[in-house]
Amino acid sequence: MSVFLFFSYLCTPNHSDNCMKLYSDEELAQILDQDIFHQISEAADGLGLECYVVGGYVRDIFLERPSNDIDVVVVGSGISVAEELKRKVGRKAHLSVFKNFGTAQVKFRQKGVEYEVEFVGARKESYSHDSRKPIVEDGTLEDDQNRRDFTINAMAICLNKNRFGELVDPFNGLADLEDGIIATPLEPGITFSDDPLRMMRCIRFATQLNFLIEDETFEALERMADRIKIVSGERIKDELNKIILSNVPSKGFVELQRSGLLNIILPELAALDIVEQKNGRAHKNNFYHTLEVLDNVARQSDNLWLRWAALMHDIGKTKSKRWDPAIGWTFHNHNLTGAKMVPQIFRRLMLPMDAKMKYVQKLVELHMRPIAIADEEVTDSAVRRLLNDAGEDIDDLMTLCEADITSKNEVRKKLFLENFRMVREKLADLQEKDYVRLLQPVIDGNEIMEMFGLKPSREVGVLKQYLKDAVLDNKVENEREPLMALLMEKAKQMGLVKE
C-alpha cells in the first residue's frame, strides 16, 4: 500500500465502521431497565447521593456494543454505594474496596450474566509536571466529566429514580460519536500534559473505532509527544497491544508516526519510514510495507504475537541497508539482524521475555526462508529443512510470508503465491507422515559419544549435523543401517576410527 493510499484512507470523512444509534432519555431509561441498574439506583437513592453510569459503557450503548463492565460515578462516597449494592445483591456478590483511591468494585452473576461494576466518587484532579499521579479532591459531576480523556467518554446517564435515563453530555460527546471524531473535553494540551498516556489512548480509540482525530487534538499530540517519556513501558505496551489487535492496526501506527510518538516509543520501526535514491534507483518505503503486511496478517489471524512478528519482520532493514552499484539497494541478512533486535525491543517495552518473545524472534529470523524457496524450484530438501527449523510454528510462518508478498506486479505476486501453495502441500505431506520421526536421525549424540569414546565436543556436533543433513536432504532413508554406514565413513575422515 502506498503512502498516498494510507493518507487517503485517514482523510476520508465519516469513515467509522461502527453502528451509531441516537436514543432519547426515555429510550435510554428502557435500555437501562435491568435489575442491576435499578439496584444501583435504589442503593444511591437510599443514601441520598447522585449516581451516574459513565464512560465507555455509555459510549458503547450508542455504538450498540454490549458490555458488562460498568463504571459508576457517585457525587459523594462511591464506596458507600458499592457496599449498599453488595448488601442488596447478597452473598453471591464479591466486594473489593480500595480506600486509598476512593474506589470499590462489585463482581457478581445475575440471570446468567457476569457483571463487574466499578464505583468512584466524583472528583477533580491536578497534576505535577513530572508525574501521571494526580492530586485528587472531592468534586462535582462537572469536575469529574472535565477530567475525562475524550468527549465520547465523558457522557453520563443518571441512575437516580427521579432522573433515571437522563443523559448528561456537556461536551457534545454524542455529536462527536455520530461524526466519528476523537476530541478532548478541555484544551487538549492540558489533557495530554496532565496524563500523557492519553495520547496513546487517543490513537488507540481512533484505531479501534475507525474515527478521525480532531485537528486541534492532533496538533496537541504533535506538540506534547515528548511527554510520553514519563509513562512506563508497561502502560505503553498495553496500548500498543490494543492497537495491534484492532481490525486495521496500520491506522494506529500511521497516526503514531505522524504525531512523532512512534519515534519515541518504537524508533526502530519509525526509522523504516524513508526512501533513499541513488543513481536513479530507490528502494520501497519499508515502514508502509510493514504496515501492509501487518494488516494482511490481521485479516488472517487474531494471534497477537503473530501480529507482533509482522510488525517486527523487517525491523533490521535500517541497519542492514547497503548500496551495491551492480544491483542497487540491498538488505542482506536483515532477518538475522532483526531477530537480534527483538529481545531488546521486548525488554524495553516490558513485553514478555519468554516463549512469546522467542516465537516472534524465530518468525522474524525465518521469514525469508519460504520466500527464498518459493522464488525458485520448490524442492523436497528445502521444505524438509524449513519444517525442521520452524517446527510447530510452520503454519504461522507461512501466514506471515504470504502476507509479506505485497508486490504490485500481479504476475510476480501470482507466481509467489502459487509456489507457496506448493510449499504448503509438501509441508502437509511431511506433517502427515510424522515429520519428527522423518527428520530426526535415529542415531543421536549419546550413541555417537559411546561409539567413539567421546565427551561432549565439537566432533560430536559435526557428526550429528552430518547425519541430520543427510536425512534432511533425503540422501538416505532415516534408518539405522544406512546412517551407520555414513557415520563410520565420516568418522574415518575425521580420524576417529583407525583404518
Side-chain angles (χ1 to χ4, degrees):
M1 185 180 291
S2 68
V3 178
F4 173 76
L5 283 176
F6 266 104
F7 278 90
S8 295
Y9 167 78
L10 286 172
C11 295
T12 302
N14 299 321
H15 61 280
S16 169
D17 294 330
N18 295 285
C19 297
M20 166 69 189
K21 191 163 183 178
L22 297 174
Y23 295 103
S24 66
D25 289 354
E26 291 76 15
E27 288 172 322
L28 289 174
Q30 290 176 4
I31 291 170
L32 298 180
D33 186 15
Q34 304 172 41
D35 288 348
I36 174 64
F37 293 111
H38 287 301
Q39 287 170 322
I40 296 171
S41 177
E42 290 167 8
D45 283 344
L47 295 168
L49 297 173
E50 287 182 48
C51 184
Y52 301 84
V53 59
V54 297
Y57 190 89
V58 177
R59 178 196 69 225
D60 289 346
I61 286 175
F62 293 100
L63 292 177
E64 298 190 283
R65 303 196 312 179
S67 174
N68 297 323
D69 294 337
I70 302 167
D71 291 325
V72 175
V73 163
V74 178
V75 182
S77 172
I79 293 174
S80 65
V81 178
E83 290 171 337
E84 182 64 13
L85 176 64
K86 164 72 169 81
R87 189 188 67 78
K88 284 181 173 296
V89 174
R91 286 183 298 176
K92 61 183 178 181
H94 177 74
L95 171 67
S96 301
V97 175
F98 310 96
K99 287 187 177 179
N100 288 344
F101 299 97
T103 65
Q105 180 188 77
V106 182
K107 290 184 179 181
F108 61 97
R109 186 178 183 84
Q110 193 172 77
K111 295 183 178 179
V113 179
E114 295 284 349
Y115 289 104
E116 187 172 305
V117 188
E118 300 275 353
F119 289 87
V120 64
R123 61 193 188 185
K124 53 184 176 181
E125 298 175 343
S126 57
Y127 293 79
S128 61
H129 183 74
D130 59 350
S131 174
R132 289 184 56 240
K133 295 181 180 179
I135 300 168
V136 179
E137 303 173 73
D138 291 340
T140 63
L141 175 65
E142 182 183 3
D143 290 328
D144 200 88
Q145 289 176 300
N146 284 343
R147 73 178 183 83
R148 299 277 163 177
D149 50 8
F150 307 110
T151 60
I152 62 172
N153 295 333
M155 296 181 287
I157 301 174
C158 188
L159 295 180
N160 295 102
K161 185 176 181 180
N162 63 337
R163 295 170 54 208
F164 193 83
E166 180 185 309
L167 178 67
V168 183
D169 182 18
F171 303 109
N172 295 316
L174 196 55
D176 286 345
L177 203 58
E178 189 175 13
D179 292 339
I181 296 291
I182 302 293
T184 57
L186 304 179
E187 198 279 310
I190 296 173
T191 298
F192 294 148
S193 179
D194 283 350
D195 184 355
L197 184 64
R198 289 170 176 164
M199 294 189 287
M200 294 292 297
R201 286 169 57 82
C202 176
I203 291 174
R204 189 251 293 181
F205 278 120
T207 307
Q208 288 179 326
L209 299 175
N210 199 14
F211 279 16
L212 296 173
I213 300 173
E214 182 259 342
D215 287 344
E216 186 180 352
T217 301
F218 192 85
E219 288 167 6
L221 282 179
E222 295 177 291
R223 191 169 66 251
M224 308 300 298
D226 205 54
R227 286 280 286 156
I228 200 68
K229 292 177 180 177
I230 73 167
V231 180
S232 71
E234 187 168 8
R235 299 305 298 274
I236 290 172
K237 170 258 295 182
D238 290 342
E239 295 299 324
L240 276 178
N241 283 343
K242 290 173 182 176
I243 291 171
I244 291 171
L245 285 172
S246 63
N247 290 335
V248 187
S250 63
K251 176 179 170 61
F253 284 95
V254 169
E255 300 287 41
L256 287 169
Q257 178 73 334
R258 290 176 61 216
S259 65
L261 285 164
L262 192 65
N263 193 49
I264 298 170
I265 62 178
L266 197 45
E268 299 89 345
L269 181 61
L272 295 176
D273 189 9
I274 187 173
V275 174
E276 284 194 70
Q277 186 168 326
K278 200 164 186 177
N279 295 349
R281 303 174 76 173
H283 61 78
K284 65 185 174 187
N285 185 307
N286 287 303
F287 175 71
Y288 287 96
H289 163 72
T290 294
L291 297 191
E292 189 173 359
V293 175
L294 175 59
D295 282 350
N296 288 343
V297 167
R299 282 190 282 271
Q300 300 298 321
S301 173
D302 291 329
N303 181 340
L304 172 63
W305 306 108
L306 178 54
R307 294 187 183 201
W308 264 107
L311 195 66
M312 298 284 102
H313 83 284
D314 275 350
I315 209 79
K317 279 192 170 180
T318 302
K319 290 185 177 181
S320 61
K321 181 167 64 176
R322 301 289 185 273
W323 169 255
D324 184 330
I327 59 177
W329 294 103
T330 67
F331 302 92
H332 294 314
N333 294 324
H334 73 271
N335 54 318
L336 303 179
T337 301
K340 290 178 183 176
M341 295 166 67
V342 168
Q344 305 163 18
I345 294 169
F346 267 52
R347 189 174 292 109
R348 187 179 73 239
L349 291 174
M350 301 182 74
L351 287 158
M353 299 297 293
D354 55 14
K356 297 180 180 69
M357 184 277 290
K358 292 290 187 183
Y359 164 90
V360 173
Q361 188 176 35
K362 178 164 78 169
L363 293 194
V364 171
E365 181 176 341
L366 294 179
H367 82 271
M368 294 300 293
R369 287 274 295 280
I371 292 174
I373 293 173
D375 202 22
E376 48 195 50
E377 184 182 354
V378 181
T379 65
D380 288 348
S381 172
V383 173
R384 281 170 170 260
R385 286 183 172 276
L386 177 64
L387 183 53
N388 176 75
D389 293 341
E392 63 184 17
D393 299 318
I394 186 64
D395 287 339
D396 288 349
L397 177 62
M398 291 302 297
T399 297
L400 172 61
C401 292
E402 286 162 351
D404 198 16
I405 305 304
T406 62
S407 172
K408 300 303 176 281
N409 183 325
E410 290 301 322
V411 174
R412 179 170 170 75
K413 186 174 182 177
K414 185 176 180 180
L415 177 63
F416 263 111
L417 293 177
E418 174 61 21
N419 282 357
F420 275 142
R421 185 189 62 77
M422 293 170 60
V423 171
R424 279 192 180 273
E425 285 181 357
K426 289 179 180 289
L427 286 168
D429 186 54
L430 274 175
Q431 288 170 314
E432 191 175 321
K433 293 177 180 176
D434 185 4
Y435 75 91
V436 173
R437 182 179 60 79
L438 283 171
L439 304 183
Q440 298 301 319
V442 296
I443 301 173
D444 64 15
N446 290 328
E447 189 171 357
I448 290 172
M449 288 189 286
E450 187 176 334
M451 285 176 61
F452 301 110
L454 297 172
K455 293 182 178 180
S457 59
R458 187 188 70 84
E459 287 83 359
V460 176
V462 169
L463 291 171
K464 281 177 61 180
Q465 191 61 47
Y466 183 71
L467 295 184
K468 189 164 190 174
D469 287 342
V471 171
L472 292 174
D473 292 334
N474 209 21
K475 290 180 179 177
V476 295
E477 292 294 320
N478 189 10
E479 296 174 357
R480 188 172 186 79
E481 187 174 337
L483 282 176
M484 189 62 74
L486 278 179
L487 178 62
M488 295 305 295
E489 180 185 331
K490 184 66 174 177
K492 286 177 183 178
Q493 293 174 8
M494 294 172 64
L496 298 175
V497 176
K498 294 181 179 179
E499 297 288 344

